[in-house]
Amino acid sequence: MERRYRLVLACPDRVGVVAMVSNFISSHGGSITDANQHSDPSIGWFFMRVEIVASSLPFELDELREAFSPIAQSFQMEWRITDSAVPKRVILMASRESHCLADLLYRFHSKELFCDIPCVISNHNDLRTMVEWHDIPYHHVPVDKDNKQNHFDGVKSLIDEYNADVIVLARYMQILPHELCDTYTHQIINIHHSFLPSFAGAKPYHQAHDRGVKLIGATCHYVTQDLDEGPIIDQDVIRISHQDQPEEMVRLGRDVEKNVLSRGLRWHLEDRILVRGNKTVVFN
Amino acid sequence: MERRYRLVLACPDRVGVVAMVSNFISSHGGSITDANQHSDPSIGWFFMRVEIVASSLPFELDELREAFSPIAQSFQMEWRITDSAVPKRVILMASRESHCLADLLYRFHSKELFCDIPCVISNHNDLRTMVEWHDIPYHHVPVDKDNKQNHFDGVKSLIDEYNADVIVLARYMQILPHELCDTYTHQIINIHHSFLPSFAGAKPYHQAHDRGVKLIGATCHYVTQDLDEGPIIDQDVIRISHQDQPEEMVRLGRDVEKNVLSRGLRWHLEDRILVRGNKTVVFN
Amino acid sequence: MERRYRLVLACPDRVGVVAMVSNFISSHGGSITDANQHSDPSIGWFFMRVEIVASSLPFELDELREAFSPIAQSFQMEWRITDSAVPKRVILMASRESHCLADLLYRFHSKELFCDIPCVISNHNDLRTMVEWHDIPYHHVPVDKDNKQNHFDGVKSLIDEYNADVIVLARYMQILPHELCDTYTHQIINIHHSFLPSFAGAKPYHQAHDRGVKLIGATCHYVTQDLDEGPIIDQDVIRISHQDQPEEMVRLGRDVEKNVLSRGLRWHLEDRILVRGNKTVVFN
Amino acid sequence: MERRYRLVLACPDRVGVVAMVSNFISSHGGSITDANQHSDPSIGWFFMRVEIVASSLPFELDELREAFSPIAQSFQMEWRITDSAVPKRVILMASRESHCLADLLYRFHSKELFCDIPCVISNHNDLRTMVEWHDIPYHHVPVDKDNKQNHFDGVKSLIDEYNADVIVLARYMQILPHELCDTYTHQIINIHHSFLPSFAGAKPYHQAHDRGVKLIGATCHYVTQDLDEGPIIDQDVIRISHQDQPEEMVRLGRDVEKNVLSRGLRWHLEDRILVRGNKTVVFN
């Protein structure tokens, strides 16, 4: 695909934002291939995402940022410009369950997901050969129940060493410490195996079975200090019946988890997600 | 449709239940048109539903019950036999919102739902002409905030007078007193406008908006003393986006509510729902 | 809801369209509440829809059109500007089946659909009382199999008399003559009871049953001279099983038909649909 | 899971079938864990599937077959009894596209699918390392456009050599010769990348794009001599919009294809599918 610049911004809603932004682009001959905007009247906030053919602009990325900066300032924008040709660096974290990890690795391998995966980190050794077959380093960082800090120190230094842009918790079953959540705000993506806010916490399929619900689901969200409470990126559900014991629910749920997580990651990699407060705007 | 007897039973799971029941039917020449069974190993319980062409058996309904009774007793069954030609008597209760009521009335009027609707009860007068156009009596029983007991006494005596088999709370926004819930166990059907157990209680669409979920839903359940906690009959969801303010969610949710409620009522009318503990088996 | 102007346009894709349009709006102080755009690279065409708070512009509708006209011309736009406060005039046509008609009447009655319904036209008399209860004139225009032209002459003169903006074929089972299709291009909406292009023509549920499909659907589309071939507005499906005979499929399909048709009409009324060739762009 | 016998049968519908079968089972102390039946009045045919705990019967598989045989004969049954502990032998065939193959291999590897995969056959060499990582032999049998018979002779002898019970065409893009279809009636499962009968034949996503449909789908079916016309096992769809060019439709469709194919194969492996004429009964 042709190289694109992606301009993503949010600011207080005011007359003229779109005009100012689109003028800026067209005055430099920029060719827009995709554009979305959203006004949220309940909070008076405006969101926008534009994809511009890179070769249609007379700028390199840094120049573009510099040129746009005065507009951003005058409208008090939170903004970023990214380059579609630069893959984000994604660290995958997993535990023992392989379905989400295998799914993401396959989508990476088949070029469906455009990113780099510099390494996989796990608190177990089970999934090593699967990962290494993809020529990706596998780091086993065990958890000592009585001293979890060691584990997280190890994780932290790997994230730093590999210079990750995104961390995906692909059924990594440990609760991250607050400082890690804060350092990587809106950069850590988790898949929770329930349709949140139902069945937060442990063993959601068993909780769902006990309650007798007729649909089960999965939720992809950014990780914050508040467990299972971060901004929701995507959710989906699947129908079950009285015949389904928890084991079948676990099996059926896996496909939902995989699809929701890979979709959420894809949107993140394409800079389609904007976060405001505890909610997301997803331009898909 | 040809007249059918519907035999519905639940009992401790034992070898020979199906053989005993099907022998009984076939030894009298009974022609089975529909049959379902379910064993739940987690509770050791067995559930079954059989539809038999009435004219293929040499019994009237009472004789059939009498003839089957010894088998039922020997297997400690909870059971009932109903006659598909006898419409159940369904009282609809509503408040001011008309969508569920109008939907059920239409399905009744177009013969999609086979039942009698002896009356509609409401705490407001708004929906009178819509109901009366269908030649159904409309009873306005106002609620006095400081003395709700009066209201429920009125409701109770109407239910008794009309000899209701089923009571449908079609967005009737009052909490029923415990004694009413107990008197009509598994006979009162409610529609809750959220995907329970998420967003129980008041204003679920606003709760959903605040949490930023990506799907909203509705839940049809039997009413018990524990508000929004009764056995779930059916649920469904619809996708929403960041664009949807609570008003749009209310509008989109209405169609889900209507579909889920009418489906649940239909299954109840056709004796397809068996309740065990706080969960349902739905043979659909 | 606050009064809005809706600007809807399509034109050859060129640098600067968005800038020009948004400049025009913001230079007059116009406050945009909703905006969508779409470039289709396969045909080199650009589509846009903008909602502007009417009171934020110093124009009445005609002045706005006049002011925008030069821009439209310079970009060779196909365009229209409508006023959200002016209801479109929708004539409903039906035959004997009531479910789509009843659904649309209810949504109109409950103000979910913002439009006028000046009359209902049918080739049968069956649905008269239902329509008249809504205070809408009902015109019975019978069809003589040997002289259908008479029927269509009657229909045509009613459409003219009532000055319809939109005609909805709510399970009206006659094939419109070519001249009527041409006179009301992209103004006649039909619901077909299959997931087109599967099972075009008569008795689609029976065709679906014969083929043994596992999902059935419905398709809302604009009517053209080519029967069941017009631009598709929306589609949806529902799962069925081997248990479902054609009669059950008809019953299950009704809910899909109702939902798809009302959704398509709603989008049309809100000027969310742009047609190009035989395909639609739906900004929803 | 405990070992089970699976009795699957179809016969002309008559009073007493269920009684006879369940008597036979219970008279030998057989414990039924799962049972389904279906009468199709339109063809007067009866279908049944029963799972029995193997250890509750005093029979080995052959004895059970012998003991049941007289009943089968007296009711003119088409029937089979299988043993849940004996894995079916599944040959996967693929071309260049890896998504369905990778998905099935993963489900096999993670023990979600209970079967043996004695080999993978492909007309290209691309997917060799992926297959061999799973310790499964990979046979590259090239296709010579001018002499396809060579290819199919090679395929046929591999199928024979490995003694396959099932052949899965996991996006294997060649049309099988008639004799192969006939030899393996209801043993060859294909995934077609459209919601059949729409868009049979080549490049279905491009056909779907040209027609402007709003949902795309996939169909899992048994292969017969009539291309894309065999008995449908399962189908599913996903929503698309005007934004989706054929490439995106291909990407989105892959997940539907994977899910539908793996579900269909699973049902086949568990003997849940009965074929009658060109239609399936699926007891799931």
Side-chain angles (χ1 to χ4, degrees):
Chain A
M1 201 173 65
E2 222 174 3
R3 184 176 164 215
R4 312 266 178 87
Y5 293 134
R6 297 177 190 138
L7 167 59
V8 181
L9 62 90
C11 63
D13 202 358
R14 262 169 58 189
V15 167
V17 187
V18 179
M20 189 61 98
V21 172
S22 46
N23 264 340
F24 169 81
I25 296 167
S26 71
S27 69
H28 293 287
S31 178
I32 295 175
T33 58
D34 203 5
N36 293 93
Q37 53 206 76
H38 169 61
S39 306
D40 188 334
S42 66
I43 55 172
W45 210 256
F46 176 80
F47 305 85
M48 190 173 187
R49 180 187 184 275
V50 189
E51 286 202 6
I52 312 151
V53 176
S55 63
S56 70
L57 285 176
F59 298 123
E60 280 311 298
L61 195 58
D62 283 346
E63 297 170 300
L64 175 56
R65 283 177 184 142
E66 201 175 338
F68 186 72
S69 187
I71 295 175
Q73 221 157 351
S74 70
F75 283 88
Q76 296 166 276
M77 293 177 182
E78 298 168 5
W79 64 290
R80 62 184 187 271
I81 300 177
T82 63
D83 181 341
S84 75
V86 178
K88 290 190 172 56
R89 299 173 63 79
V90 183
I91 288 184
L92 306 180
M93 297 184 67
S95 187
R96 274 191 160 126
E97 291 230 52
S98 62
H99 57 285
C100 284
L101 185 70
D103 183 71
L104 293 177
L105 289 174
Y106 172 76
R107 293 179 199 267
F108 166 71
H109 177 73
S110 65
K111 302 190 175 18
E112 186 184 307
L113 286 177
F114 179 70
C115 61
D116 283 342
I117 302 185
C119 78
V120 171
I121 302 173
S122 176
N123 53 336
H124 290 96
N125 222 349
D126 309 42
L127 307 176
R128 178 180 294 277
T129 62
M130 174 183 283
V131 170
E132 291 183 344
W133 183 81
H134 292 86
D135 288 324
I136 297 172
Y138 185 89
H139 294 281
H140 176 204
V141 185
V143 173
D144 173 353
K145 271 191 187 174
D146 300 323
N147 184 354
K148 295 206 167 186
Q149 195 52 49
N150 267 355
H151 172 75
F152 291 115
D153 289 347
V155 167
K156 178 75 172 61
S157 68
L158 283 166
I159 294 174
D160 289 347
E161 175 191 334
Y162 284 107
N163 197 17
D165 297 308
V166 195
I167 298 134
V168 176
L169 308 185
R171 300 297 307 270
Y172 167 78
M173 308 302 283
Q174 302 293 317
I175 298 168
L176 296 187
H178 285 188
E179 56 273 24
L180 211 54
C181 300
D182 286 350
T183 310
Y184 297 95
T185 305
H186 306 157
Q187 292 176 274
I188 311 178
I189 296 176
N190 184 43
I191 182 74
H192 185 81
H193 40 319
S194 87
F195 182 69
L196 288 173
S198 290
F199 312 130
K203 292 205 164 263
Y205 293 122
H206 289 78
Q207 292 183 53
H209 185 256
D210 288 348
R211 181 60 187 92
V213 293
K214 300 298 185 184
L215 300 166
I216 54 171
T219 302
C220 174
H221 66 95
Y222 287 115
V223 172
T224 61
Q225 288 197 9
D226 301 307
L227 189 65
D228 301 333
E229 295 283 337
I232 292 173
I233 300 171
D234 195 27
Q235 306 185 286
D236 214 340
V237 294
I238 191 171
R239 191 162 285 278
I240 55 164
S241 82
H242 56 265
Q243 297 181 294
D244 295 307
Q245 296 294 317
E247 304 76 56
E248 276 93 58
M249 293 166 61
V250 167
R251 176 176 63 77
L252 290 164
R254 273 190 215 123
D255 286 332
V256 183
E257 293 168 38
K258 280 151 51 171
N259 287 339
V260 169
L261 177 58
S262 69
R263 213 153 57 198
L265 176 57
R266 180 184 181 84
W267 294 337
H268 182 96
L269 294 177
E270 297 179 350
D271 296 292
R272 297 185 177 281
I273 311 173
L274 292 81
V275 183
R276 182 80 196 158
N278 205 39
K279 294 162 70 170
T280 62
V281 169
V282 179
F283 287 132
N284 65 315
Chain B
M1 201 173 63
E2 223 174 2
R3 185 176 163 215
R4 313 265 178 89
Y5 293 134
R6 296 176 191 141
L7 167 59
V8 180
L9 61 91
C11 62
D13 203 357
R14 262 170 57 191
V15 167
V17 187
V18 179
M20 190 60 100
V21 172
S22 46
N23 265 340
F24 169 80
I25 295 168
S26 71
S27 69
H28 293 288
S31 176
I32 295 175
T33 57
D34 202 6
N36 293 91
Q37 53 207 75
H38 170 60
S39 306
D40 189 332
S42 66
I43 56 172
W45 209 255
F46 177 80
F47 304 84
M48 190 173 187
R49 180 186 184 275
V50 188
E51 286 202 7
I52 311 151
V53 176
S55 62
S56 70
L57 285 176
F59 298 123
E60 279 311 298
L61 195 58
D62 283 347
E63 296 170 301
L64 175 56
R65 283 176 183 144
E66 202 175 337
F68 186 72
S69 186
I71 294 174
Q73 222 157 349
S74 70
F75 282 88
Q76 296 166 277
M77 292 176 181
E78 297 168 6
W79 63 290
R80 61 184 188 272
I81 301 177
T82 63
D83 181 340
S84 76
V86 177
K88 289 189 174 55
R89 298 172 62 78
V90 183
I91 287 183
L92 306 179
M93 297 184 67
S95 188
R96 273 191 160 127
E97 291 230 51
S98 62
H99 57 286
C100 285
L101 185 70
D103 183 70
L104 293 177
L105 290 173
Y106 172 75
R107 292 179 199 267
F108 166 72
H109 177 73
S110 64
K111 301 191 177 15
E112 187 184 306
L113 286 177
F114 179 69
C115 62
D116 284 341
I117 301 184
C119 77
V120 170
I121 303 174
S122 176
N123 54 336
H124 290 96
N125 221 349
D126 309 41
L127 307 176
R128 178 179 294 279
T129 62
M130 174 183 283
V131 171
E132 292 183 344
W133 183 81
H134 292 85
D135 287 326
I136 297 172
Y138 185 89
H139 294 282
H140 176 205
V141 185
V143 172
D144 173 353
K145 272 192 187 174
D146 300 323
N147 183 355
K148 294 207 168 184
Q149 195 52 48
N150 267 355
H151 172 75
F152 291 115
D153 289 348
V155 167
K156 179 75 171 61
S157 68
L158 283 166
I159 293 172
D160 289 346
E161 175 191 336
Y162 284 107
N163 197 20
D165 297 307
V166 195
I167 297 134
V168 175
L169 308 186
R171 299 297 308 269
Y172 166 78
M173 308 301 283
Q174 303 292 318
I175 298 168
L176 296 187
H178 285 190
E179 56 273 25
L180 212 53
C181 299
D182 287 350
T183 310
Y184 296 95
T185 305
H186 306 158
Q187 293 176 276
I188 310 178
I189 296 175
N190 185 44
I191 182 74
H192 186 80
H193 40 317
S194 88
F195 182 68
L196 289 173
S198 290
F199 312 130
K203 291 204 165 265
Y205 292 122
H206 289 77
Q207 292 183 53
H209 185 256
D210 288 348
R211 181 60 188 91
V213 293
K214 301 298 186 183
L215 300 166
I216 53 170
T219 303
C220 175
H221 65 95
Y222 287 115
V223 173
T224 61
Q225 287 196 10
D226 300 308
L227 190 65
D228 301 333
E229 295 283 337
I232 292 173
I233 300 170
D234 196 27
Q235 305 186 287
D236 214 341
V237 294
I238 192 171
R239 191 162 286 276
I240 56 165
S241 83
H242 56 263
Q243 296 181 295
D244 295 307
Q245 296 294 316
E247 305 75 56
E248 276 92 58
M249 293 166 62
V250 166
R251 175 175 64 76
L252 290 164
R254 273 189 215 123
D255 286 331
V256 183
E257 295 168 37
K258 280 152 50 171
N259 287 338
V260 170
L261 178 57
S262 68
R263 214 152 57 198
L265 176 57
R266 179 184 182 85
W267 293 338
H268 182 97
L269 294 177
E270 296 179 352
D271 294 292
R272 297 185 177 280
I273 312 173
L274 292 81
V275 184
R276 182 82 196 156
N278 204 37
K279 294 163 70 170
T280 61
V281 169
V282 180
F283 288 133
N284 64 315
Chain C
M1 200 173 65
E2 221 175 2
R3 184 176 164 215
R4 312 266 179 87
Y5 294 133
R6 296 175 190 142
L7 168 58
V8 180
L9 62 92
C11 63
D13 203 357
R14 263 170 56 191
V15 166
V17 187
V18 179
M20 190 61 99
V21 172
S22 46
N23 264 340
F24 169 81
I25 296 167
S26 71
S27 69
H28 294 287
S31 177
I32 295 175
T33 58
D34 202 5
N36 292 94
Q37 52 207 75
H38 169 59
S39 306
D40 188 333
S42 65
I43 55 172
W45 210 255
F46 176 79
F47 305 85
M48 190 173 187
R49 179 185 185 277
V50 189
E51 286 203 5
I52 312 150
V53 175
S55 63
S56 71
L57 285 176
F59 298 123
E60 279 312 297
L61 195 58
D62 284 345
E63 296 170 301
L64 175 55
R65 284 176 183 143
E66 201 174 339
F68 186 71
S69 187
I71 294 174
Q73 222 157 348
S74 69
F75 283 88
Q76 296 167 277
M77 292 176 182
E78 298 167 5
W79 64 290
R80 61 183 187 274
I81 301 176
T82 63
D83 181 340
S84 77
V86 177
K88 291 191 173 54
R89 297 172 63 76
V90 183
I91 287 183
L92 305 180
M93 296 184 67
S95 188
R96 272 191 160 126
E97 291 230 52
S98 62
H99 57 286
C100 284
L101 185 70
D103 183 70
L104 293 177
L105 289 173
Y106 172 75
R107 292 180 199 267
F108 166 72
H109 177 73
S110 65
K111 301 190 174 23
E112 187 184 306
L113 287 176
F114 179 69
C115 61
D116 283 342
I117 301 184
C119 78
V120 171
I121 303 174
S122 176
N123 54 335
H124 290 96
N125 222 349
D126 309 41
L127 308 176
R128 178 179 295 278
T129 61
M130 175 184 283
V131 171
E132 292 183 344
W133 183 80
H134 293 85
D135 287 326
I136 296 172
Y138 185 89
H139 294 281
H140 176 206
V141 185
V143 172
D144 174 354
K145 272 191 188 175
D146 300 323
N147 183 354
K148 294 207 168 185
Q149 195 52 50
N150 266 356
H151 172 75
F152 291 115
D153 289 347
V155 167
K156 179 74 171 64
S157 68
L158 283 166
I159 295 173
D160 290 347
E161 177 190 332
Y162 283 107
N163 196 19
D165 296 308
V166 195
I167 298 134
V168 176
L169 308 186
R171 297 299 307 272
Y172 167 78
M173 308 301 284
Q174 303 292 317
I175 298 168
L176 295 188
H178 286 187
E179 57 273 24
L180 211 54
C181 299
D182 286 350
T183 310
Y184 295 95
T185 305
H186 306 158
Q187 292 177 276
I188 310 178
I189 296 175
N190 184 44
I191 181 74
H192 185 81
H193 40 318
S194 88
F195 182 68
L196 288 173
S198 290
F199 313 129
K203 290 202 166 269
Y205 291 123
H206 289 78
Q207 292 183 55
H209 185 256
D210 288 347
R211 181 60 187 91
V213 293
K214 300 299 186 184
L215 299 166
I216 53 171
T219 302
C220 175
H221 65 95
Y222 287 115
V223 173
T224 60
Q225 287 196 10
D226 301 307
L227 189 65
D228 299 334
E229 295 283 338
I232 293 172
I233 300 170
D234 195 27
Q235 305 186 287
D236 214 339
V237 293
I238 191 171
R239 191 161 286 277
I240 56 165
S241 82
H242 56 263
Q243 296 181 295
D244 295 307
Q245 296 295 317
E247 305 74 57
E248 276 93 58
M249 293 165 62
V250 166
R251 175 176 64 76
L252 290 164
R254 272 188 216 125
D255 286 332
V256 183
E257 295 168 36
K258 281 153 46 171
N259 287 339
V260 170
L261 177 58
S262 69
R263 213 152 57 197
L265 176 58
R266 181 184 181 85
W267 292 338
H268 182 96
L269 294 177
E270 296 179 352
D271 295 292
R272 296 185 178 279
I273 311 174
L274 292 82
V275 184
R276 182 79 196 160
N278 204 39
K279 293 162 70 171
T280 61
V281 169
V282 180
F283 288 132
N284 63 314
Chain D
M1 201 172 64
E2 221 175 2
R3 184 176 164 216
R4 313 267 178 88
Y5 293 134
R6 296 175 191 142
L7 167 59
V8 180
L9 62 90
C11 63
D13 202 357
R14 262 169 58 191
V15 166
V17 187
V18 179
M20 190 62 99
V21 172
S22 47
N23 264 339
F24 169 80
I25 296 167
S26 72
S27 68
H28 293 287
S31 178
I32 295 175
T33 58
D34 203 5
N36 293 92
Q37 53 206 74
H38 170 60
S39 306
D40 189 332
S42 66
I43 55 172
W45 209 255
F46 177 79
F47 305 84
M48 191 172 185
R49 179 186 185 276
V50 189
E51 286 203 5
I52 312 151
V53 176
S55 63
S56 69
L57 285 176
F59 298 123
E60 280 311 298
L61 195 59
D62 283 345
E63 297 170 299
L64 175 55
R65 284 178 183 141
E66 201 175 336
F68 186 70
S69 187
I71 294 174
Q73 222 158 349
S74 71
F75 282 89
Q76 297 167 274
M77 293 176 181
E78 298 168 4
W79 64 290
R80 62 183 186 271
I81 301 177
T82 63
D83 181 340
S84 77
V86 176
K88 290 190 173 56
R89 297 172 63 78
V90 183
I91 287 183
L92 306 180
M93 296 184 67
S95 188
R96 272 190 160 127
E97 290 230 52
S98 63
H99 57 286
C100 284
L101 185 71
D103 182 71
L104 293 177
L105 289 173
Y106 173 75
R107 293 180 199 265
F108 165 73
H109 177 73
S110 65
K111 301 189 175 20
E112 187 184 306
L113 286 177
F114 178 69
C115 61
D116 283 342
I117 301 184
C119 78
V120 171
I121 303 174
S122 175
N123 54 335
H124 290 96
N125 221 350
D126 308 41
L127 308 176
R128 178 179 296 276
T129 61
M130 175 183 282
V131 172
E132 292 183 345
W133 184 81
H134 292 85
D135 288 324
I136 297 171
Y138 185 89
H139 294 282
H140 176 205
V141 185
V143 172
D144 173 354
K145 270 191 188 175
D146 300 322
N147 183 355
K148 295 207 166 184
Q149 194 53 48
N150 267 355
H151 172 74
F152 291 116
D153 289 347
V155 168
K156 179 75 171 63
S157 68
L158 284 167
I159 294 173
D160 290 347
E161 175 189 334
Y162 284 108
N163 197 19
D165 296 308
V166 195
I167 299 135
V168 176
L169 308 185
R171 299 298 308 270
Y172 167 76
M173 309 302 284
Q174 303 293 318
I175 298 168
L176 295 187
H178 286 188
E179 56 273 25
L180 211 54
C181 299
D182 286 350
T183 310
Y184 296 96
T185 305
H186 306 158
Q187 292 177 276
I188 310 178
I189 296 176
N190 185 44
I191 182 74
H192 185 81
H193 40 318
S194 87
F195 182 70
L196 289 174
S198 290
F199 313 130
K203 291 205 164 262
Y205 292 123
H206 289 79
Q207 292 182 55
H209 185 256
D210 288 347
R211 181 60 187 94
V213 292
K214 300 300 186 184
L215 299 166
I216 53 171
T219 303
C220 176
H221 64 95
Y222 287 116
V223 173
T224 61
Q225 288 196 8
D226 301 307
L227 189 66
D228 300 336
E229 296 283 337
I232 293 172
I233 299 170
D234 196 27
Q235 306 186 287
D236 213 341
V237 294
I238 192 171
R239 189 161 289 276
I240 55 164
S241 83
H242 56 264
Q243 296 181 295
D244 295 306
Q245 296 295 316
E247 304 75 56
E248 277 93 58
M249 292 166 62
V250 167
R251 176 175 63 77
L252 291 165
R254 273 189 214 123
D255 286 332
V256 183
E257 295 168 37
K258 281 152 49 171
N259 288 339
V260 169
L261 177 58
S262 69
R263 213 153 56 198
L265 175 57
R266 180 184 180 85
W267 293 338
H268 182 96
L269 295 177
E270 296 179 351
D271 296 291
R272 296 185 177 280
I273 312 174
L274 293 81
V275 184
R276 181 81 196 157
N278 204 37
K279 294 162 70 170
T280 61
V281 168
V282 180
F283 288 132
N284 64 313

